[in-house]
Amino acid sequence: MFRIMPIKRHCIPAICAIVLLAPCGCGGGGPERPDLAAVSGTVVYDGQPLAGAEVAFWADKAPKASIGVTNSEGKFQLTMFDLNDGAMPGENVITVTKRVATAAPSSSDMEAMLNDPTTMTAAMQAEDEPGEKQEAKSDIPAKYSEKGTTPLKETVSTSGNNEFVLQLAVE
């Protein structure tokens, strides 16, 4: 048999505080994520699919760029927060970067990098030695790697197909 204990007076403020603060939750509190639309595409350079290139879509009010890495067929999907979640709708400036590898990775490492954007990014960051600024060499014209010089722009739609073919011109 259970006996209900009376609430003591000094416990009432603590109970009230818990009831009032419980809906507030823990942590987070950051800005809400923007609505995104799935984006995919292909990068073509000199008439051929461009493998191992980083593609970034930059929307004006986006908290950060949506990024993808091309596979061996030049195909990519964009990620902003979660894998393949896409990019912000509206006009996006597009940068494409393809760095020259300083040492040839093994074929299994290369396949892993082409299939997983996070592996490619980690490998690129590991190349840079702290303390010394290395000038990145590129396999494509440098104008595509900067937001201020790239001629590439696309409008991402909230409905419909967001599959783009990015044609890079040889200089």
Side-chain angles (χ1 to χ4, degrees), residues 54-74:
E54 181 180 282
V55 179
F57 275 51
W58 303 85
D60 268 346
K61 297 187 181 188
K64 60 184 180 176
S66 292
I67 297 175
V69 176
T70 59
N71 65 14
S72 58
E73 298 173 339

Side-chain angles (χ1 to χ4, degrees), residues 72-124:
S72 58
E73 298 173 339
K75 297 185 180 299
F76 66 90
Q77 289 184 296
L78 295 182
T79 297
M80 184 178 284
F81 299 107
D82 299 317
L83 186 62
N84 302 330
D85 60 357
M88 280 188 62
E91 186 173 281
N92 283 258
V93 172
I94 304 165
T95 57
V96 179
T97 307
K98 170 92 162 94
R99 293 177 37 165
V100 176
T102 54
S106 70
S107 61
S108 62
D109 288 343
M110 185 60 146
E111 190 63 29
M113 286 190 279
L114 293 176
N115 290 323
D116 181 6
T118 56
T119 305
M120 174 67 84
T121 303
M124 290 171 65

Side-chain angles (χ1 to χ4, degrees), residues 10-19:
H10 68 277
C11 293
I12 292 175
I15 293 170
C16 289
I18 291 170
V19 169

